[in-house]
mmCIF file of all heavy atoms in Angstrom:
data_model
loop_
_atom_site.group_PDB
_atom_site.id
_atom_site.type_symbol
_atom_site.label_atom_id
_atom_site.label_comp_id
_atom_site.label_asym_id
_atom_site.label_seq_id
_atom_site.Cartn_x
_atom_site.Cartn_y
_atom_site.Cartn_z
ATOM 1 N N ARG G 3 146.343 319.698 143.122
ATOM 2 C CA ARG G 3 145.283 320.777 143.222
ATOM 3 C C ARG G 3 145.944 322.184 143.541
ATOM 4 O O ARG G 3 145.079 323.032 143.948
ATOM 5 C CB ARG G 3 144.174 320.377 144.036
ATOM 6 C CG ARG G 3 143.415 319.012 143.608
ATOM 7 C CD ARG G 3 142.865 319.251 142.099
ATOM 8 N NE ARG G 3 141.915 320.280 142.048
ATOM 9 C CZ ARG G 3 140.706 320.144 142.165
ATOM 10 N NH1 ARG G 3 140.025 319.052 142.450
ATOM 11 N NH2 ARG G 3 139.739 321.191 141.898
ATOM 12 N N ASP G 4 147.246 322.138 143.462
ATOM 13 C CA ASP G 4 147.886 323.489 143.812
ATOM 14 C C ASP G 4 147.478 324.543 142.858
ATOM 15 O O ASP G 4 147.436 325.913 143.260
ATOM 16 C CB ASP G 4 149.318 323.340 144.032
ATOM 17 C CG ASP G 4 149.913 322.774 142.661
ATOM 18 O OD1 ASP G 4 149.189 321.907 142.062
ATOM 19 O OD2 ASP G 4 151.090 323.136 142.279
ATOM 20 N N LYS G 5 147.228 324.217 141.654
ATOM 21 C CA LYS G 5 146.659 325.140 140.674
ATOM 22 C C LYS G 5 145.422 324.551 139.954
ATOM 23 O O LYS G 5 145.232 323.440 139.883
ATOM 24 C CB LYS G 5 147.799 325.310 139.544
ATOM 25 C CG LYS G 5 148.963 326.161 139.997
ATOM 26 C CD LYS G 5 149.801 326.432 138.790
ATOM 27 C CE LYS G 5 151.099 327.310 139.191
ATOM 28 N NZ LYS G 5 151.938 327.636 138.233
ATOM 29 N N PRO G 6 144.350 325.456 139.736
ATOM 30 C CA PRO G 6 143.182 324.953 139.210
ATOM 31 C C PRO G 6 143.264 324.132 137.981
ATOM 32 O O PRO G 6 144.192 324.394 137.064
ATOM 33 C CB PRO G 6 142.337 326.223 138.867
ATOM 34 C CG PRO G 6 142.936 327.192 139.698
ATOM 35 C CD PRO G 6 144.431 326.896 139.783
ATOM 36 N N VAL G 7 142.492 323.007 137.771
ATOM 37 C CA VAL G 7 142.627 322.318 136.470
ATOM 38 C C VAL G 7 141.910 323.005 135.304
ATOM 39 O O VAL G 7 140.920 323.507 135.507
ATOM 40 C CB VAL G 7 141.847 320.893 136.769
ATOM 41 C CG1 VAL G 7 142.022 320.009 135.442
ATOM 42 C CG2 VAL G 7 142.425 320.126 137.950
ATOM 43 N N PRO G 8 142.662 323.244 134.344
ATOM 44 C CA PRO G 8 142.087 324.057 133.203
ATOM 45 C C PRO G 8 140.811 323.386 132.628
ATOM 46 O O PRO G 8 140.757 322.277 132.655
ATOM 47 C CB PRO G 8 143.258 323.895 132.045
ATOM 48 C CG PRO G 8 144.563 323.668 132.888
ATOM 49 C CD PRO G 8 144.063 322.749 134.055
ATOM 50 N N ARG G 9 140.079 324.346 132.226
ATOM 51 C CA ARG G 9 138.660 323.794 131.680
ATOM 52 C C ARG G 9 138.954 322.955 130.485
ATOM 53 O O ARG G 9 138.134 322.086 130.259
ATOM 54 C CB ARG G 9 137.932 325.116 131.263
ATOM 55 C CG ARG G 9 136.426 324.773 130.938
ATOM 56 C CD ARG G 9 135.657 326.115 130.521
ATOM 57 N NE ARG G 9 134.445 325.792 130.147
ATOM 58 C CZ ARG G 9 133.515 326.726 129.762
ATOM 59 N NH1 ARG G 9 133.784 327.941 129.743
ATOM 60 N NH2 ARG G 9 132.285 326.270 129.346
ATOM 61 N N ALA G 10 139.883 323.265 129.697
ATOM 62 C CA ALA G 10 140.150 322.526 128.517
ATOM 63 C C ALA G 10 140.299 321.063 128.843
ATOM 64 O O ALA G 10 139.949 320.142 128.091
ATOM 65 C CB ALA G 10 141.360 323.005 127.756
ATOM 66 N N LEU G 11 141.068 320.742 129.954
ATOM 67 C CA LEU G 11 141.316 319.326 130.319
ATOM 68 C C LEU G 11 139.880 318.707 130.763
ATOM 69 O O LEU G 11 139.615 317.550 130.459
ATOM 70 C CB LEU G 11 142.199 319.394 131.559
ATOM 71 C CG LEU G 11 143.749 319.430 131.293
ATOM 72 C CD1 LEU G 11 144.515 319.317 132.556
ATOM 73 C CD2 LEU G 11 144.187 318.634 130.211
ATOM 74 N N HIS G 12 139.051 319.393 131.314
ATOM 75 C CA HIS G 12 137.601 318.714 131.816
ATOM 76 C C HIS G 12 136.873 318.610 130.536
ATOM 77 O O HIS G 12 136.273 317.488 130.305
ATOM 78 C CB HIS G 12 136.873 319.783 132.642
ATOM 79 C CG HIS G 12 137.503 320.093 134.057
ATOM 80 N ND1 HIS G 12 137.801 319.081 134.863
ATOM 81 C CD2 HIS G 12 137.788 321.240 134.527
ATOM 82 C CE1 HIS G 12 138.248 319.644 135.987
ATOM 83 N NE2 HIS G 12 138.231 320.965 135.808
ATOM 84 N N ILE G 13 136.931 319.442 129.496
ATOM 85 C CA ILE G 13 136.343 319.231 128.237
ATOM 86 C C ILE G 13 136.872 317.913 127.452
ATOM 87 O O ILE G 13 136.166 317.080 126.977
ATOM 88 C CB ILE G 13 136.232 320.512 127.405
ATOM 89 C CG1 ILE G 13 135.569 321.506 128.056
ATOM 90 C CG2 ILE G 13 135.659 320.120 125.994
ATOM 91 C CD1 ILE G 13 135.631 322.949 127.310
ATOM 92 N N MET G 14 138.179 317.873 127.401
ATOM 93 C CA MET G 14 138.865 316.846 126.653
ATOM 94 C C MET G 14 138.517 315.521 127.335
ATOM 95 O O MET G 14 138.188 314.522 126.802
ATOM 96 C CB MET G 14 140.414 317.105 126.791
ATOM 97 C CG MET G 14 141.134 315.960 125.920
ATOM 98 S SD MET G 14 140.924 315.943 124.225
ATOM 99 C CE MET G 14 141.819 317.421 123.873
ATOM 100 N N CYS G 15 138.421 315.627 128.638
ATOM 101 C CA CYS G 15 138.057 314.308 129.479
ATOM 102 C C CYS G 15 136.675 313.824 129.175
ATOM 103 O O CYS G 15 136.426 312.617 128.968
ATOM 104 C CB CYS G 15 138.219 314.625 130.964
ATOM 105 S SG CYS G 15 137.848 313.065 131.904
ATOM 106 N N GLY G 16 135.769 314.703 129.061
ATOM 107 C CA GLY G 16 134.306 314.432 128.840
ATOM 108 C C GLY G 16 134.150 313.840 127.414
ATOM 109 O O GLY G 16 133.549 312.873 127.124
ATOM 110 N N VAL G 17 134.830 314.555 126.410
ATOM 111 C CA VAL G 17 134.707 314.035 125.024
ATOM 112 C C VAL G 17 135.329 312.634 124.885
ATOM 113 O O VAL G 17 134.772 311.782 124.277
ATOM 114 C CB VAL G 17 135.321 314.993 124.070
ATOM 115 C CG1 VAL G 17 135.446 314.544 122.712
ATOM 116 C CG2 VAL G 17 134.674 316.386 124.084
ATOM 117 N N LEU G 18 136.489 312.504 125.549
ATOM 118 C CA LEU G 18 137.146 311.106 125.349
ATOM 119 C C LEU G 18 136.392 310.035 126.129
ATOM 120 O O LEU G 18 136.342 308.881 125.784
ATOM 121 C CB LEU G 18 138.631 311.186 125.882
ATOM 122 C CG LEU G 18 139.580 311.941 124.988
ATOM 123 C CD1 LEU G 18 141.011 311.935 125.698
ATOM 124 C CD2 LEU G 18 139.714 311.304 123.588
ATOM 125 N N ALA G 19 135.785 310.461 127.254
ATOM 126 C CA ALA G 19 134.963 309.425 127.966
ATOM 127 C C ALA G 19 133.833 309.061 127.154
ATOM 128 O O ALA G 19 133.471 307.878 127.225
ATOM 129 C CB ALA G 19 134.634 310.131 129.296
ATOM 130 N N VAL G 20 133.190 309.866 126.466
ATOM 131 C CA VAL G 20 132.013 309.582 125.661
ATOM 132 C C VAL G 20 132.446 308.629 124.466
ATOM 133 O O VAL G 20 131.859 307.728 124.241
ATOM 134 C CB VAL G 20 131.294 310.880 125.003
ATOM 135 C CG1 VAL G 20 130.322 310.539 123.946
ATOM 136 C CG2 VAL G 20 130.619 311.610 126.156
ATOM 137 N N LEU G 21 133.553 309.014 123.730
ATOM 138 C CA LEU G 21 134.071 308.210 122.797
ATOM 139 C C LEU G 21 134.491 306.826 123.257
ATOM 140 O O LEU G 21 134.212 305.760 122.549
ATOM 141 C CB LEU G 21 135.253 308.858 122.150
ATOM 142 C CG LEU G 21 134.852 310.141 121.300
ATOM 143 C CD1 LEU G 21 136.219 310.847 120.932
ATOM 144 C CD2 LEU G 21 134.020 309.800 120.235
ATOM 145 N N THR G 22 135.049 306.716 124.431
ATOM 146 C CA THR G 22 135.399 305.477 124.999
ATOM 147 C C THR G 22 134.205 304.596 125.356
ATOM 148 O O THR G 22 134.145 303.345 125.197
ATOM 149 C CB THR G 22 136.201 305.707 126.315
ATOM 150 O OG1 THR G 22 137.458 306.360 126.070
ATOM 151 C CG2 THR G 22 136.654 304.367 126.916
ATOM 152 N N ALA G 23 133.217 305.259 125.861
ATOM 153 C CA ALA G 23 131.868 304.547 126.226
ATOM 154 C C ALA G 23 131.287 304.070 124.882
ATOM 155 O O ALA G 23 130.794 302.852 125.018
ATOM 156 C CB ALA G 23 130.876 305.506 126.890
ATOM 157 N N PHE G 24 131.257 304.676 123.793
ATOM 158 C CA PHE G 24 130.854 304.285 122.558
ATOM 159 C C PHE G 24 131.639 303.001 122.089
ATOM 160 O O PHE G 24 131.161 302.037 121.577
ATOM 161 C CB PHE G 24 130.746 305.325 121.455
ATOM 162 C CG PHE G 24 130.353 304.814 120.122
ATOM 163 C CD1 PHE G 24 128.943 304.748 119.932
ATOM 164 C CD2 PHE G 24 131.127 304.620 119.227
ATOM 165 C CE1 PHE G 24 128.475 304.289 118.698
ATOM 166 C CE2 PHE G 24 130.842 304.028 117.832
ATOM 167 C CZ PHE G 24 129.427 303.938 117.586
ATOM 168 N N ARG G 25 132.916 303.132 122.231
ATOM 169 C CA ARG G 25 133.722 301.917 121.910
ATOM 170 C C ARG G 25 133.360 300.763 122.616
ATOM 171 O O ARG G 25 133.379 299.662 122.182
ATOM 172 C CB ARG G 25 135.276 302.310 122.219
ATOM 173 C CG ARG G 25 136.211 301.215 121.931
ATOM 174 C CD ARG G 25 137.653 301.956 122.118
ATOM 175 N NE ARG G 25 138.668 300.924 122.134
ATOM 176 C CZ ARG G 25 139.869 301.138 122.331
ATOM 177 N NH1 ARG G 25 140.264 302.375 122.696
ATOM 178 N NH2 ARG G 25 140.859 300.196 122.252
ATOM 179 N N VAL G 26 133.217 300.866 123.933
ATOM 180 C CA VAL G 26 132.794 299.692 124.892
ATOM 181 C C VAL G 26 131.508 299.161 124.381
ATOM 182 O O VAL G 26 131.256 298.028 124.334
ATOM 183 C CB VAL G 26 132.737 300.240 126.345
ATOM 184 C CG1 VAL G 26 132.249 299.095 127.280
ATOM 185 C CG2 VAL G 26 134.191 300.680 126.819
ATOM 186 N N TYR G 27 130.500 300.098 124.179
ATOM 187 C CA TYR G 27 129.171 299.683 123.686
ATOM 188 C C TYR G 27 129.112 299.022 122.429
ATOM 189 O O TYR G 27 128.443 297.915 122.273
ATOM 190 C CB TYR G 27 128.241 300.844 123.838
ATOM 191 C CG TYR G 27 126.770 300.499 123.193
ATOM 192 C CD1 TYR G 27 125.929 299.927 123.996
ATOM 193 C CD2 TYR G 27 126.423 300.811 121.947
ATOM 194 C CE1 TYR G 27 124.538 299.603 123.518
ATOM 195 C CE2 TYR G 27 125.196 300.572 121.379
ATOM 196 C CZ TYR G 27 124.304 299.968 122.243
ATOM 197 O OH TYR G 27 123.078 299.659 121.810
ATOM 198 N N ALA G 28 129.787 299.546 121.400
ATOM 199 C CA ALA G 28 129.650 299.095 120.184
ATOM 200 C C ALA G 28 130.387 297.796 119.830
ATOM 201 O O ALA G 28 129.989 296.836 119.131
ATOM 202 C CB ALA G 28 130.203 300.057 119.041
ATOM 203 N N TRP G 29 131.566 297.526 120.457
ATOM 204 C CA TRP G 29 132.432 296.413 120.223
ATOM 205 C C TRP G 29 132.723 295.475 121.488
ATOM 206 O O TRP G 29 133.621 294.701 121.388
ATOM 207 C CB TRP G 29 133.664 296.752 119.646
ATOM 208 C CG TRP G 29 133.623 297.367 118.273
ATOM 209 C CD1 TRP G 29 133.124 296.712 117.102
ATOM 210 C CD2 TRP G 29 133.807 298.796 117.884
ATOM 211 N NE1 TRP G 29 133.135 297.712 116.108
ATOM 212 C CE2 TRP G 29 133.649 298.844 116.540
ATOM 213 C CE3 TRP G 29 134.263 299.922 118.615
ATOM 214 C CZ2 TRP G 29 133.643 300.178 115.886
ATOM 215 C CZ3 TRP G 29 134.386 301.212 117.948
ATOM 216 C CH2 TRP G 29 134.043 301.218 116.574
ATOM 217 N N SER G 30 131.981 295.948 122.498
ATOM 218 C CA SER G 30 132.085 295.164 123.830
ATOM 219 C C SER G 30 133.572 295.167 124.424
ATOM 220 O O SER G 30 134.051 294.076 124.687
ATOM 221 C CB SER G 30 131.635 293.800 123.662
ATOM 222 O OG SER G 30 130.300 293.738 123.403
ATOM 223 N N GLU G 31 134.242 296.177 124.079
ATOM 224 C CA GLU G 31 135.796 296.237 124.577
ATOM 225 C C GLU G 31 135.778 296.635 125.968
ATOM 226 O O GLU G 31 135.971 297.835 126.293
ATOM 227 C CB GLU G 31 136.507 297.314 123.618
ATOM 228 C CG GLU G 31 136.656 296.839 122.252
ATOM 229 C CD GLU G 31 137.778 297.604 121.509
ATOM 230 O OE1 GLU G 31 138.396 298.463 122.051
ATOM 231 O OE2 GLU G 31 137.900 297.478 120.307
ATOM 232 N N ARG G 32 135.635 295.583 126.799
ATOM 233 C CA ARG G 32 135.504 295.929 128.240
ATOM 234 C C ARG G 32 136.782 296.537 128.901
ATOM 235 O O ARG G 32 136.700 297.373 129.700
ATOM 236 C CB ARG G 32 135.192 294.581 128.938
ATOM 237 C CG ARG G 32 133.763 293.968 128.643
ATOM 238 C CD ARG G 32 133.696 292.588 129.244
ATOM 239 N NE ARG G 32 134.620 291.632 128.653
ATOM 240 C CZ ARG G 32 134.466 290.838 127.556
ATOM 241 N NH1 ARG G 32 133.188 290.985 127.047
ATOM 242 N NH2 ARG G 32 135.304 289.968 127.117
ATOM 243 N N LEU G 33 137.855 296.175 128.275
ATOM 244 C CA LEU G 33 139.156 296.699 128.830
ATOM 245 C C LEU G 33 139.217 298.192 128.591
ATOM 246 O O LEU G 33 139.900 298.804 129.474
ATOM 247 C CB LEU G 33 140.324 295.980 127.959
ATOM 248 C CG LEU G 33 141.792 296.284 128.608
ATOM 249 C CD1 LEU G 33 141.824 296.071 130.071
ATOM 250 C CD2 LEU G 33 142.821 295.568 127.772
#
């Protein structure tokens, strides 16, 4: 945290998290 985390990383994390959650829900990919 010596330098602020760029906003782009936060946005990318949110988008990938949503897509991962859909993957888990749709195909029960628990891993």
Side-chain angles (χ1 to χ4, degrees):
R3 298 302 299 266
D4 52 327
K5 291 184 179 180
V7 181
R9 185 180 181 184
L11 285 184
H12 294 308
I13 295 175
M14 181 69 74
C15 179
V17 173
L18 289 178
V20 170
L21 292 171
T22 301
F24 178 79
R25 178 180 175 181
V26 175
Y27 172 79
W29 295 292
S30 298
E31 292 193 9
R32 297 174 292 268
L33 184 58

